[in-house]
């Protein structure tokens, strides 16, 4: 049975009790720190050395190898929050855990890399404790058989004991392309060329891939033998998100020297901004969706599904606007022809030309702010104050056309592309704020107004997957936008989300995922993902603390929120690794 927050409460006007705002933001950070301790102590007491706490039954689960993933995911959070006692206790387990599995079991490569390897490397970067680097190097070597493919792209999983692998010939983008910053930093620390080559082989494969059908954006499915796309489904949500994230972060971490990754980032974000971002018809909410190609006709259609996982994108766009000279790319040696490559990337040139009349730095930041507001409103609209995992957005237009393949008329959902609205705004003299950036009030329904048609008409979206899984993406973007813009509204919105987490998800031993965000008090799932401690609480702490210990110009976060430092290659390393 869950235990609700028992601190000072006040009414929000809907009969629900919420935590009062902190008297200072440092006090807000202190409350997040106490939340972390509550969750981690529950894990220590009932679940360690297993993977994750089951916070309703006080039992444990072993979903990621049984090596204690919550502990490894929490190491850098403890260091950032200065939790010396918990950190010291964790060292013994880090020392003694065996990275082994019985026959027939496989470590999922992607999750093992971002959680365990990323956690160890970040802990080393923050503490300089050699134990973390030694264990990171050991783990990477044990995972290495996963690269035994013709292309050098990673298979799904590996048994680190007998070195057997698992997985099909078709790989998923996020799982094969979320290793660059971990392996590049590991190569820097260990001076082992083989680690650098694992990241380098992936980037080389992407450079040589045929991306005409996706206008230069990396699609979801890949053939691991040919290193070519297997489909033309593009997304910034599940199965794709972190791959796009790492294109920018690889460039930033290597002191802005990996130009190939930067070019891929620019192609991806141009396609996203011109083709995947829409405005809803009533509230004018800015959202991003995925795009699926019809294999019979070659045409592409948006699904208008908006995922919580996609809410990392506002933070990524804001980070790019903050760190890149987007309005003067030639100053860093990037020319338009370098990105478009004479038609090699389908409509990429036309998409870039469409953005040519805008200040690209401002455009990326506007996109970030509009998307982040929508991400926040999907929380604020709900009685729990928490955001659903997936939503379907209402669209205002339909297009009917003749399908010559099936010899019939077909009706497609269109929607209002953000760049179409931006063109109208610009043509009218750019009066007021850009479309999608107007401040909007939440729409919270009382029980008598729960009819689906009312929700759709007023909110512009319905819930497809109504669970809240303690995910971090929205607060990640709020944190980055606060640091980039200095606008306190991002902090205030983050506080409301933290208050809802405390109110709805807290149990006697930790925090639990929510089954449905549209009813309060929430019904809970018996799980507390390790990323809640690695990401959600870390980003909230960094949002509220005044002196940021992880400056965005000096660190990059891996996709599990493990910070790794920006570094420069030495002349010897450049020669050894073949870096131009």
């Amino acid at each position: 049975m869950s235990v609700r927050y028992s601190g000072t409460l006040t009414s929000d006007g809907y009969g629900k009790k919420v935590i009062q705002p902190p008297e200072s933001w440092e006090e807000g950070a202190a409350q997040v720190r106490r939340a972390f301790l509550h969750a981690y102590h529950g894990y220590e007491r009932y679940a360690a050395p297993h993977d994750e706490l089951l916070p309703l039954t006080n039992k444990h689960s072993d979903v990621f190898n049984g090596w204690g993933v919550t502990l490894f995911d929490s190491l850098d959070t403890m260091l950032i929050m200065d939790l010396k006692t918990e950190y010291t206790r964790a060292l013994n387990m880090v020392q003694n855990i065996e990275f082994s599995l019985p026959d027939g079991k496989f470590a999922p490569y992607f999750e093992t890399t971002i959680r365990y390897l990323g956690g160890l490397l970040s802990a080393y970067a923050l503490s300089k404790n050699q134990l973390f680097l030694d264990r990171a190097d050991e783990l990477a070597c044990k995972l290495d058989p996963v690269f035994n493919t013709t292309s050098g792209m990673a298979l799904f999983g590996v048994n680190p004991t007998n070195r057997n692998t698992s997985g099909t010939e078709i790989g998923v983008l996020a799982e094969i392309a979320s290793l660059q910053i971990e392996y590049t930093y590991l190569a820097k620390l260990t001076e082992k060329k083989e680690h650098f080559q694992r990241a380098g082989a992936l980037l080389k494969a992407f450079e040589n891939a045929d991306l005409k059908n996706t206008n230069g954006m990396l699609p979801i499915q890949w053939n691991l033998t040919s290193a070519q796309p297997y489909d033309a489904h593009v997304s910034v949500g599940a199965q794709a998100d972190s791959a796009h994230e790492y294109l920018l972060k690889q460039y930033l971490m290597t002191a802005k020297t990996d130009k190939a990754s930067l070019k891929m980032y620019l192609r991806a974000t141009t396609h996203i901004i011109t083709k995947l971002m829409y405005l809803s018809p009533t509230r004018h909410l800015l959202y991003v969706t995925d795009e699926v190609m019809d294999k019979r006709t070659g045409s592409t259609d948006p699904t208008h599904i908006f995922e919580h996982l996609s809410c990392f994108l506002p933070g990524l766009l804001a980070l790019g606007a903050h760190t890149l000279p987007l309005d003067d790319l030639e100053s860093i040696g990037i020319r338009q022809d370098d990105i478009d490559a004479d038609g090699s990337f389908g409509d990429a040139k036309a998409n870039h030309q469409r953005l040519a009349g805008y200040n690209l730095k401002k455009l990326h930041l506007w996109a970030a702010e509009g998307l982040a507001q929508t991400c926040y409103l999907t929380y604020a609209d709900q009685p729990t104050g928490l955001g659903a995992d997936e939503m379907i957005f209402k669209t205002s237009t339909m297009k009917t056309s003749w399908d010559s393949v099936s010899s019939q008329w077909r009706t497609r959902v269109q929607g209002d592309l953000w760049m179409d609205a931006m063109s109208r705004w610009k043509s009218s003299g750019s009066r007021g704020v850009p479309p999608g950036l107007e401040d909007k009030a939440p729409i919270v329904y009382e029980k008598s107004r729960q009819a689906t048609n009312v929700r759709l008409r007023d909110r512009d979206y319905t819930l497809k997957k109504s669970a809240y899984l303690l995910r971090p993406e929205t607060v990640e973007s709020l944190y980055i936008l606060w640091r980039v813009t200095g606008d306190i509204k991002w902090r205030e919105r983050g506080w409301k989300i933290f208050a809802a987490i405390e109110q709805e998800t807290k149990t006697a031993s930790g925090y639990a995922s929510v089954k449905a965000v549209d009813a309060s008090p929430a019904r809970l799932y018996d799980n507390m993902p390790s990323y809640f401690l690695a990401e959600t609480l870390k980003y909230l702490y960094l949002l509220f603390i005044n002196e940021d210990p992880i400056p965005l110009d000096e660190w990059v976060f891996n996709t599990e929120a493990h910070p790794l430092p920006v570094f420069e290659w030495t002349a010897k390393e450049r020669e050894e690794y073949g870096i131009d």
Side-chain angles (χ1 to χ4, degrees), residues 218-529:
L218 302 173
I220 288 179
Q221 290 190 309
W222 288 75
N223 185 301
L224 303 186
T225 300
S226 65
Q228 292 296 325
Y230 185 73
D231 70 0
H233 182 186
V234 292
S235 172
V236 294
Q239 302 185 320
D241 45 6
S242 51
H244 307 305
E245 176 186 354
Y246 275 29
L247 297 176
L248 174 63
K249 292 183 176 181
Q250 175 77 356
Y251 174 73
L252 296 178
M253 189 183 71
T254 57
K256 302 182 179 180
T257 57
D258 189 338
K259 296 287 180 65
S261 290
L262 176 59
K263 292 173 188 176
M264 285 186 270
Y265 172 76
L266 293 170
R267 291 185 199 112
T269 52
T270 296
H271 186 81
I272 291 165
I273 290 172
T274 56
K275 299 296 185 182
L276 302 184
M277 289 175 55
Y278 288 82
L279 283 175
S280 68
T282 305
R283 298 170 79 189
H284 302 141
L285 301 177
L286 180 59
Y287 65 97
V288 63
T289 190
D290 59 339
E291 190 176 55
V292 182
M293 176 176 283
D294 187 324
K295 292 183 179 180
R296 298 176 308 153
T297 65
S299 62
T300 57
D301 292 305
T303 68
H304 296 286
I305 294 171
F306 180 51
E307 302 176 51
H308 191 293
L309 288 170
S310 300
C311 284
F312 85 97
L313 182 63
L316 184 69
L317 292 171
L319 180 64
H322 175 67
T323 56
L324 302 175
L326 290 172
D327 50 347
D328 186 19
L329 289 170
E330 289 192 4
S331 67
I332 56 173
I334 300 292
R335 296 180 301 112
Q336 192 71 39
D337 290 343
D338 295 331
I339 303 172
D340 296 333
D342 62 20
S344 298
F345 300 102
D347 294 334
K349 187 169 186 177
N351 293 341
H352 281 108
Q353 288 174 342
R354 181 164 198 194
L355 304 184
Y358 297 87
N359 180 304
L360 204 57
K361 195 178 191 73
K362 289 182 179 179
L363 188 68
H364 278 229
L365 190 55
W366 287 337
E369 292 183 289
L371 286 170
Q373 176 172 228
T374 301
C375 292
Y376 164 70
L377 286 171
T378 65
Y379 281 68
D381 284 348
Q382 301 303 326
T384 57
L386 299 171
D389 213 45
E390 288 186 11
M391 291 131 283
I392 300 177
F393 266 83
K394 172 186 175 182
T395 58
S396 58
T397 59
M398 307 286 282
K399 181 180 180 181
T400 301
S401 60
W402 180 255
D403 183 350
S404 60
V405 176
S406 61
S407 298
Q408 61 183 354
W409 292 94
R410 294 184 64 206
T411 300
R412 291 190 176 93
V413 175
Q414 289 289 288
D416 190 12
L417 279 168
W418 184 54
M419 285 309 301
D420 288 345
M422 288 293 293
S423 295
R424 296 192 297 269
W425 173 74
K426 187 177 180 184
S427 297
S428 67
S430 304
R431 292 190 297 271
V433 298
L437 272 72
E438 309 91 342
D439 284 334
K440 302 172 180 69
I443 298 176
V444 182
Y445 294 109
E446 301 173 25
K447 288 185 178 180
S448 61
R449 296 189 61 206
Q450 290 298 314
T452 301
N453 62 333
V454 175
R455 286 203 302 271
L456 178 58
R457 184 176 67 244
D458 291 353
R459 280 188 183 153
D460 282 353
Y461 66 86
T462 55
L463 305 185
K464 183 173 186 286
K465 294 182 180 178
S466 60
Y468 169 66
L469 305 179
L470 298 174
R471 290 200 189 276
E473 291 80 18
T474 294
V475 295
E476 171 186 358
S477 288
L478 299 183
Y479 154 66
I480 295 174
L481 277 161
W482 156 245
R483 294 299 175 185
V484 168
T485 69
D487 191 332
I488 198 171
K489 73 181 180 184
W490 304 116
R491 269 183 157 178
E492 292 169 341
R493 292 170 176 178
W495 175 256
K496 290 177 181 178
I497 291 174
F498 175 65
I501 290 171
E502 285 285 294
Q503 176 72 29
E504 298 288 350
T505 77
K506 194 171 187 177
T507 75
S509 58
Y511 295 82
S513 296
V514 169
K515 292 183 177 181
V517 298
D518 55 357
S520 178
R523 293 177 298 119
L524 303 178
Y525 284 121
D526 193 15
N527 83 311
M528 185 177 75

Side-chain angles (χ1 to χ4, degrees), residues 5 7-21 382-385 495-504 520:
Y5 182 79
T8 304
L9 303 173
T10 185
S11 173
D12 70 347
Y14 292 95
K16 175 186 166 187
K17 300 298 182 180
V18 297
I19 307 172
Q20 289 181 341
Q382 301 303 326
T384 57
W495 175 256
K496 290 177 181 178
I497 291 174
F498 175 65
I501 290 171
E502 285 285 294
Q503 176 72 29
E504 298 288 350
S520 178

